[in-house]
Amino acid sequence: QVQLVESGGGSVQAGGSLRLSCAVSGDSSSRYCMGWFRQAPGKKREGVALIDSEGRISYAEAVEGRFTISKDTSKRTLDLQMISLRPEDTARYYCAAERARLCPPEVVTAATIFPYWGQGTQVTVSS
């Protein structure tokens, strides 16, 4: 199994940028689908971006063109660069992992498939 620790959240004004990072430790021999998810108060946890073990990426439509997911295998980090942030992006953001070569086809509803989660980091975007 893996352990995940997020960092980089904060408060920004609309139009601003933030970069989230997730440090990965533990199992390094298996292939994992990695992802970023978010959960706003009173809402379900939703997928934002996924990256599979071979680097294929998929995004939720709501963030396409504004968010970029990337991973550094040697440093064992997973990042999420967010630009043009909107108040509706306000949520707690989580890094997650699933032991699988490929990621689920549906990004937004993928949360139930992932067994490994970080503690989350808060992102607040003010108008």
Side-chain angles (χ1 to χ4, degrees):
Q1 63 180 20
V2 292
Q3 293 77 46
L4 308 168
V5 179
E6 302 94 336
S7 61
S11 297
V12 295
Q13 291 191 325
S17 302
L18 280 174
R19 187 178 185 91
L20 307 182
S21 188
C22 174
V24 183
S25 60
D27 177 23
S28 60
S29 62
S30 301
R31 295 180 175 183
Y32 285 85
C33 165
M34 304 289 297
W36 284 97
F37 295 77
R38 65 187 182 185
Q39 188 167 18
K43 295 189 176 181
K44 291 183 178 180
R45 190 169 298 187
E46 62 178 13
V48 172
L50 304 177
I51 183 167
D52 72 18
S53 62
E54 298 176 6
R56 286 178 288 251
I57 292 170
S58 53
Y59 294 100
E61 185 176 347
V63 306
E64 185 90 49
R66 300 187 297 120
F67 290 12
T68 302
I69 189 172
S70 61
K71 66 178 179 179
D72 187 320
T73 303
S74 61
K75 295 181 180 179
R76 303 198 73 193
T77 56
L78 178 75
D79 289 352
L80 185 69
Q81 177 67 50
M82 306 183 292
I83 65 171
S84 302
L85 283 162
R86 304 167 180 169
E88 54 264 39
D89 294 319
T90 295
R92 192 164 186 85
Y93 282 71
Y94 297 87
C95 172
E98 177 204 9
R99 188 177 168 185
R101 183 173 68 89
L102 301 177
C103 288
E106 293 293 330
V107 177
V108 175
T109 58
T112 57
I113 298 173
F114 285 71
Y116 306 113
W117 294 87
Q119 81 288 352
T121 185
Q122 181 66 34
V123 171
T124 303
V125 184
S126 58
S127 58

